[in-house]
Amino acid sequence: MHSRPRDDDPRLGDLSEGEILRAILNRTARGAHTVIGPGDDAAVIAAPSGSVVATTDTLVHGPDFRMAWSSGFDLGWKSAAVNLADIAAMGARPTALLVALAVPRDLRLSFVESLADGFREACAALAPGCAVVGGDLTVSDVLTVAVTALGDLEGRQAVTRSGARVGDVVAVAGELGHAALGLSVLFGRFRDGDTPVPIDRAALGAGERAALDAQLRPSPPIGLGPFAAIAGATAMMDISDGLALDARRLAAASEVTIALDGGALGENVERALGGGEDHALLATFPPGIPPAGFRAIGEVVARGEDALLVDGAPVEASGWDPYRDWDSASG
Amino acid sequence: MHSRPRDDDPRLGDLSEGEILRAILNRTARGAHTVIGPGDDAAVIAAPSGSVVATTDTLVHGPDFRMAWSSGFDLGWKSAAVNLADIAAMGARPTALLVALAVPRDLRLSFVESLADGFREACAALAPGCAVVGGDLTVSDVLTVAVTALGDLEGRQAVTRSGARVGDVVAVAGELGHAALGLSVLFGRFRDGDTPVPIDRAALGAGERAALDAQLRPSPPIGLGPFAAIAGATAMMDISDGLALDARRLAAASEVTIALDGGALGENVERALGGGEDHALLATFPPGIPPAGFRAIGEVVARGEDALLVDGAPVEASGWDPYRDWDSASG
């Protein structure tokens, strides 16, 4: 069909949409819930509960990732993980992903193939049975990955942010502040002026490498979402913008105050409170010891002047607001 | 909260994410199928059939629309319509939209408000009961609208592309080639060199205005999708890339040849065959008169050397492939 020369790793602009889609689909697993997969006008996914949980989250080159720092695999993995976490935070089991890719014409095919691998492996590792069931491919000067995740409640009620009750224990599953530490490693160690430069992992200690992985390839505890729901979680959300900001949101939705125990937040309390992108699960449970996988970090108290207290005192709001914090000109 | 001056129509970069989301949500209707709407980690939508139909399609500034030509309302409407059409083409009823917006910081709030209006009104007009249930807002230099649509099969089997049988009648509902005519009006009449300039509708005849509407604010026959399924459609798809290309796809999936009657394709057969973006529904039905809303345009015959015939003769492949056809440098 195509008379142009083909090198081993062509640019996307030299391929047809069909060629690129075939390369992606060759690397896409079939999900356990997939009734009709990619290739038709739309996919069909089992929703045995009679409802479907749905969320969408986008990663844009610049504010959300840099190609100097993230491989295609990293980007696919992270794009999957952050969306799976939102499904898990409702107490649902992820069933399917849809991926809308907007790609520059000079991007290499191998990058997109690795991206597809990242999606597949993140599903296999974090949410077995879930798979990419559909997508869209378009051209853009800015590499953009918009993902929609679907999930099933398996007959349970959704666990919203608004169900926390006074006396509940506040608990968390997953890391706090590790992804933020990873970001600070990237910004502090792998820039030339404002320009990101490739990561030299050999130059890093084990802690820094782990933090980097938490930033570039996060592993939120997806299975603990449905587990928490079964265990009676009264409210739940994933921590995407930092514990302080997200705990405030949960407190506001539930019309309570969340009183955290600073001693339960690890060595660097400020980073645990302010650091986003770990996608840990924040949940409240009836009084007592939280279920396995969760650790108690505080208590729900009656709504006071402040929605969030740490060791009894109010804390400054902090967290990540892309509209305020990102400036494309300064890297 | 904010000490900066506020003019009547602030730029998004001067607002917080929360402020922008509130403005959007104020303009978002509640859907008939919405169990939990925007504001939590994920939405919950009724899926009474025990399955959910899902599709995603993205509009990127440059290849897919130009702000000089499309208002926010137009963009919201079209982004909804093209996704609703994919749901309808499976024979499903659209139930929900999720909208991932990536917006430049200098975009005006009023544009995003109009976009939300466009989504709401397109749902009201084309798919009553369907509504935006969730979304995501991020920063990008390239305005990008990635939409996921969900639908319910109401107990029916999905109508795929692969079910056409020899002897079936080939039928279409909706326009053919109007959106392409609209695009040619835009490119021919409203550019200064390669730069899009605002549309002067007064300079256009009624036919050109209608074609422009078909391009900027398409109204695919969404309700006829489920109707066709009930009437026994054996295969169906929406025509996004032109009748010739999409009929070939349906023929290939069904392992048949589609033999079209050129006389049934209107005055401009070439445009009807090649013009994309109308999102008409192409369907096959058991022999006989197709159901109301559909017009017969041909017949399914045994798979021959060519997947598509018009008046008995093969036709050149044509249609829109964004990877080949779009060059950002040339407008």
Side-chain angles (χ1 to χ4, degrees):
Chain A
M1 291 275 290
H2 303 291
S3 58
R4 68 183 174 281
R6 285 281 299 265
D7 64 21
D8 284 344
D9 190 7
R11 296 184 190 276
L12 299 183
D14 293 329
L15 300 171
S16 72
E17 188 176 8
E19 288 172 307
I20 303 165
L21 290 179
R22 271 192 295 280
I24 293 172
L25 292 178
N26 280 340
R27 289 157 182 270
T28 301
R30 189 178 172 85
H33 315 273
T34 309
V35 181
I36 296 177
D40 219 297
D41 290 80
V44 181
I45 306 101
S49 277
S51 70
V52 60
V53 180
T55 184
T56 186
D57 209 354
T58 306
L59 273 70
V60 177
H61 189 258
D64 298 316
F65 68 93
R66 301 300 172 96
M67 286 183 64
W69 292 335
S70 290
S71 67
F73 189 96
D74 291 341
L75 179 59
W77 179 290
K78 184 167 179 171
S79 301
V82 302
N83 279 280
L84 295 171
D86 280 324
I87 297 296
M90 301 299 283
R93 188 88 55 194
T95 54
L97 301 178
L98 294 102
V99 181
L101 270 183
V103 292
R105 294 169 67 91
D106 62 357
L107 196 70
R108 296 285 182 180
L109 180 62
S110 62
F111 189 91
V112 174
E113 289 177 334
S114 300
L115 187 90
D117 289 343
F119 272 103
R120 187 189 64 244
E121 296 302 309
C123 286
L126 304 177
C130 183
V132 173
V133 298
D136 179 49
L137 181 68
T138 185
V139 182
S140 176
D141 290 339
V142 178
L143 177 57
T144 305
V145 188
V147 178
T148 297
L150 305 180
D152 187 64
L153 286 165
E154 302 174 329
R156 296 181 298 274
Q157 292 287 308
V159 183
T160 66
R161 300 175 178 188
S162 59
R165 294 169 304 205
V166 173
D168 282 354
V169 60
V170 177
V172 74
E175 306 290 358
L176 295 175
H178 280 223
L181 177 58
L183 193 65
S184 74
V185 170
L186 289 172
F187 273 73
R189 303 278 295 271
F190 301 111
R191 286 197 299 176
D192 177 5
D194 284 338
T195 305
V197 299
I199 297 164
D200 175 11
R201 293 180 74 90
L204 297 175
E208 289 172 313
R209 279 201 294 271
L212 216 57
D213 287 341
Q215 167 59 224
L216 297 176
R217 209 181 283 191
S219 292
I222 306 301
L224 290 178
F227 182 75
I230 293 165
T234 52
M236 187 156 52
M237 67 185 297
D238 89 309
I239 302 174
S240 50
D241 295 333
L243 174 60
L245 197 57
D246 285 329
R248 257 181 236 283
R249 289 173 176 153
L250 192 149
S254 296
E255 299 178 353
V256 297
T257 283
I258 287 182
L260 298 179
D261 170 10
L265 299 180
E267 287 177 22
N268 191 326
V269 174
E270 196 178 338
R271 203 169 64 213
L273 286 168
E277 294 196 276
D278 284 305
H279 302 280
L281 293 173
L282 174 67
T284 57
F285 296 94
I289 297 172
F294 284 83
R295 55 191 188 276
I297 59 168
E299 193 189 354
V300 177
V301 299
R303 175 77 194 188
E305 196 174 326
D306 294 287
L308 179 67
L309 302 172
V310 178
D311 295 334
V315 291
E316 273 297 295
S318 61
W320 171 255
D321 183 335
Y323 267 86
R324 296 273 180 69
D325 299 343
W326 177 65
D327 179 349
S328 61
S330 70
Chain B
M1 292 275 290
H2 303 291
S3 57
R4 67 183 175 281
R6 286 281 300 266
D7 64 20
D8 284 346
D9 190 7
R11 296 184 190 276
L12 299 183
D14 293 328
L15 300 171
S16 72
E17 188 176 9
E19 288 171 308
I20 302 165
L21 291 178
R22 272 191 295 280
I24 293 172
L25 293 178
N26 281 340
R27 288 157 182 270
T28 301
R30 189 178 173 85
H33 314 274
T34 309
V35 181
I36 297 177
D40 219 297
D41 290 81
V44 181
I45 306 102
S49 278
S51 70
V52 61
V53 181
T55 185
T56 186
D57 209 353
T58 307
L59 273 70
V60 177
H61 189 257
D64 297 316
F65 68 93
R66 301 301 172 98
M67 286 183 64
W69 292 335
S70 290
S71 68
F73 189 95
D74 291 342
L75 179 58
W77 179 290
K78 183 167 180 172
S79 301
V82 302
N83 279 281
L84 295 171
D86 280 324
I87 297 295
M90 301 299 282
R93 188 89 55 194
T95 54
L97 301 177
L98 294 102
V99 181
L101 271 183
V103 292
R105 294 169 66 91
D106 63 357
L107 196 70
R108 296 286 182 180
L109 180 63
S110 62
F111 189 91
V112 174
E113 289 176 335
S114 300
L115 187 90
D117 290 342
F119 272 103
R120 187 189 64 243
E121 295 303 309
C123 286
L126 305 177
C130 182
V132 173
V133 298
D136 179 47
L137 181 68
T138 184
V139 182
S140 175
D141 290 339
V142 178
L143 177 58
T144 305
V145 188
V147 179
T148 297
L150 306 180
D152 187 64
L153 285 164
E154 302 174 329
R156 296 181 298 274
Q157 292 286 307
V159 184
T160 66
R161 300 175 178 188
S162 59
R165 294 169 304 204
V166 173
D168 281 354
V169 59
V170 178
V172 74
E175 306 291 359
L176 295 175
H178 280 222
L181 177 59
L183 193 65
S184 74
V185 170
L186 289 172
F187 273 73
R189 303 278 293 272
F190 300 111
R191 286 197 300 176
D192 178 4
D194 284 337
T195 306
V197 299
I199 298 165
D200 175 13
R201 294 180 72 90
L204 298 174
E208 288 173 313
R209 279 201 294 270
L212 216 56
D213 287 341
Q215 166 59 223
L216 297 176
R217 208 179 283 191
S219 292
I222 306 301
L224 289 179
F227 183 75
I230 294 164
T234 52
M236 186 155 53
M237 67 185 296
D238 88 310
I239 303 174
S240 50
D241 296 333
L243 175 59
L245 196 57
D246 285 330
R248 257 181 237 283
R249 289 173 175 153
L250 192 149
S254 295
E255 299 177 353
V256 297
T257 283
I258 286 182
L260 297 178
D261 171 10
L265 299 180
E267 287 177 21
N268 191 327
V269 174
E270 195 177 340
R271 204 169 63 213
L273 285 168
E277 293 196 277
D278 284 305
H279 302 281
L281 293 173
L282 173 66
T284 57
F285 296 95
I289 297 171
F294 284 84
R295 55 193 188 276
I297 59 168
E299 192 189 355
V300 178
V301 299
R303 176 76 195 190
E305 195 174 328
D306 293 287
L308 179 67
L309 303 172
V310 179
D311 296 334
V315 291
E316 273 296 296
S318 60
W320 171 253
D321 183 334
Y323 267 85
R324 295 273 179 68
D325 300 341
W326 177 64
D327 179 349
S328 61
S330 71

